[in-house]
Amino acid sequence: MDDHPTQQHTRPDGVTDETVEAVGKLSAALDHIEDARGHLYAFHRLMGSAENTLEEATSMVREAGHDDLADALDRDALGANPLPGMWSFQMVDEFDDGFYARAKGLHQRALDELMGGRRHVFEAEMKELRRTRDGREGHEARPADVQGDPEYDEDAEG
């Protein structure tokens, strides 16, 4: 058992503390962008469900004899764009192809140019500073050091 992180999570030679910290901050920013993207996809799914439920409600309002309200729902809400010119799928497409693609590309550029393609070096170094090295369970350096899981256990037959 090697009690050190894998090479993919170690600092390349010559990379400064400032660069590791800056790329770590950029990775944290991308994590927030990924979260925002997830919320946008959740919004997209919720709007689809809302559209279907609104269609059912409009029918029920009409069947209950309230044609004026049902007509208003048909005209002003059902099938309407949540934002000018866009349904939620178009919002997702615009975000994915625009800001998200640019931010993700710039993050990858930083990893490639500044870190030799290595990811999460800042986090790996933080882990090394905080974990114990006395064999305590849950403080292993990497997954291959965990015993009992055939996917990660180097001693398991397979």
Side-chain angles (χ1 to χ4, degrees):
M1 173 167 63
D2 186 6
D3 196 35
H4 301 284
T6 61
Q7 183 178 357
Q8 71 182 3
H9 292 126
T10 57
R11 177 189 303 223
D13 291 338
V15 175
T16 65
D17 288 347
E18 293 82 8
T19 297
V20 169
E21 188 174 351
V23 173
K25 187 63 78 171
L26 181 56
S27 293
L30 186 64
D31 289 348
H32 291 296
I33 293 166
E34 292 286 1
D35 286 346
R37 183 174 182 252
H39 287 286
L40 183 59
Y41 272 81
F43 174 79
H44 168 53
R45 288 188 307 275
L46 288 169
M47 287 305 297
S49 295
E51 180 74 14
N52 291 337
T53 305
L54 185 58
E55 184 175 28
E56 292 172 17
T58 300
S59 250
M60 292 172 74
V61 167
R62 190 174 307 285
E63 288 169 11
H66 308 287
D67 288 338
D68 286 347
L69 180 56
D71 290 345
L73 287 165
D74 265 334
R75 180 186 62 245
D76 299 330
L78 194 59
N81 295 320
L83 287 178
M86 286 192 265
W87 264 27
S88 60
F89 75 89
Q90 293 164 310
M91 295 175 210
V92 167
D93 288 349
E94 289 296 320
F95 182 78
D96 277 355
D97 295 344
F99 181 81
Y100 177 73
R102 290 189 310 274
K104 193 156 176 69
L106 289 166
H107 178 253
Q108 189 61 54
R109 177 181 169 188
L111 293 176
D112 292 343
E113 291 180 10
L114 305 177
M115 303 303 293
R118 298 176 187 184
R119 298 179 297 167
H120 296 112
V121 171
F122 179 81
E123 293 88 338
E125 289 184 2
M126 186 179 353
K127 177 181 179 177
E128 285 303 297
L129 286 172
R130 294 183 178 169
R131 73 180 186 88
T132 64
R133 286 171 181 71
D134 60 4
R136 185 177 304 162
E137 184 177 337
H139 286 244
E140 301 85 5
R142 52 189 173 172
D145 298 335
V146 176
Q147 300 297 313
D149 186 335
E151 184 176 351
Y152 296 117
D153 192 348
E154 293 173 342
D155 298 328
E157 293 180 32

